[in-house]
Amino acid sequence: MAERAALEELVRLQGERVRGLKQQKASAEQIEEELAKLLKLKAQLGPDEGKQKFVLKTPKDFDIAGQFDPMIPDAECLKIMCEILSSLQIGDFLVKVNDRRILDGMFAVCGVPDSKFRTICSSVDKLDKVSWEEVKNEMVGEKGLAPEVADRIGDYVQQHGGVSLVEQLLQDPELSQNKQALEGLGDLKLLFEYLTLFGISDKISFDLSLARGLDYYTGVIYEAVLLQTPVRAGEEPLGVGSVAAGGRYDGLVGMFDPKGRKVPCVGLSIGVERIFSIVEQRLEALEEKVRTTETQVLVASAQKKLLEERLKLVSELWDAGIKAELLYKKNPKLLNQLQYCEEAGIPLVAIIGEQELKDGVIKLRSVASREEVDVRREDLVEEIKRRTSQPLCIC
């Protein structure tokens, strides 16, 4: 009982540490590292006999090494990732893939001591941010790796390509003799076959420097990065790291199973905050505002006591399928209505005034250019649809 109480206290303290890092907005890598420690502690704690047991179930007759192909779910996740990033229209991207078994096999044949696998893995994972020389200096100077071992690692991790690189490494005289590396390369070769069938192999690169420094990954790992586009005048280079990532973690869920059964798992996550950061940077560079609404036109009044007329017009626009709105004040000032459109990114304003009512027209104003034209009321819907058929900024 005393041992369990001590372990429960460690779980509580580690949980507080993870929550504290999230509140401090620490780096994702640091949070994930501490979260992995928390999960290990919870696994050591085991089930609480006083609570309902958590039972893990896999599909009946599930056999990961038999009738079920383990690479189909991985290929499907990569297909989903590509579809999501393409639909967001945030620019050209590349998905880098690797396999933790290949990494571990590579470290073994290069002469990395078992005790240094994870710490050297975290160094390799920095290659997308710093040069190989800097990574090597960290391995040798800070982590005590022999220089010749670091050089051998460098020969591998600076390679990237497609299925041809996989086939080349399958013939490598050292890697081909390592069981883990051979399994990983075999699965990657199969994965590329499925990616070709899915029509996305041109978006995928086998990158030996990809490490995803988390202990719970057991097989294929991947992350998506935006490809740098030429910087236009006034723009800053966009540097946000990966915008999506994932991999296979067959041992993670089983940590919570009292019987330690292996539950195959694969998944991905999308970096929503990073994607928003990209969109905001690009809109700022183009001096465009982020649209916070889908509204196409605001129905406004130029004088007081025109609330009923505004309600009539907004109803007409709704019936015609136009996304319209109006301010709820009875007598809003015209300037306030125009400022609201600018802040929310509403492109058009339909202005009703006493003179417009007499003339049977609506004054249609472009918020961006501030140009105004009188449009006959019966032609207003067609004119709004014509103007809003132009593509708007992505937001």
Side-chain angles (χ1 to χ4, degrees), residues 95 97 102 159-171 184-196 200-207:
V95 182
V97 301
I102 297 174
Q159 298 185 64
H160 55 84
V163 68
S164 59
L165 178 58
V166 177
E167 293 170 344
Q168 175 187 322
L169 293 176
L170 280 168
Q171 303 302 316
L185 288 166
D187 279 351
L188 270 191
K189 183 177 180 182
L190 184 60
L191 177 66
F192 268 98
E193 290 180 14
Y194 297 154
L195 297 177
T196 300
I200 59 169
S201 59
D202 61 323
K203 290 287 186 183
I204 314 294
S205 172
F206 173 29
D207 192 326

Side-chain angles (χ1 to χ4, degrees), residues 224-365:
V225 295
L226 290 185
L227 299 176
Q228 283 287 357
T229 54
V231 179
R232 289 172 287 188
E235 285 190 16
E236 293 292 329
L238 299 174
V240 294
S242 61
V243 292
R248 179 168 285 276
Y249 40 95
D250 289 343
L252 183 62
V253 176
M255 291 168 59
F256 300 96
D257 181 17
K259 296 183 180 180
R261 286 171 291 192
K262 185 177 180 181
V263 180
C265 296
V266 64
L268 64 97
S269 62
I270 304 296
V272 176
E273 289 186 4
R274 291 183 175 183
I275 289 171
F276 271 119
S277 175
I278 292 166
V279 173
E280 287 173 355
Q281 286 184 56
R282 289 186 171 167
L283 292 178
E284 285 175 7
L286 295 171
E287 297 183 349
E288 293 181 3
K289 290 187 176 295
V290 178
R291 280 173 51 82
T292 58
T293 176
E294 291 187 343
T295 301
Q296 297 167 305
V297 58
L298 178 80
V299 175
S301 55
Q303 289 94 25
K304 294 181 179 180
K305 299 181 180 180
L306 291 173
L307 175 59
E308 289 186 5
E309 295 298 332
R310 285 193 292 141
L311 289 172
K312 287 179 185 177
L313 181 56
V314 81
S315 179
E316 290 174 20
L317 295 177
W318 288 341
D319 290 343
I322 301 291
K323 295 175 181 177
E325 64 174 283
L326 75 166
L327 298 190
Y328 295 147
K329 289 185 177 181
K330 286 186 177 180
N331 298 301
K333 293 180 179 179
L334 180 58
L335 180 60
N336 291 343
Q337 296 171 88
L338 297 178
Q339 286 178 338
Y340 172 74
C341 289
E342 290 186 357
E343 292 169 0
I346 299 174
L348 298 172
V349 190
I351 303 172
I352 302 173
E354 293 174 357
Q355 188 61 47
E356 283 77 17
L357 288 173
K358 290 178 182 178
D359 296 341
V361 298
I362 300 295
K363 193 177 294 296
L364 192 60
R365 178 185 175 102

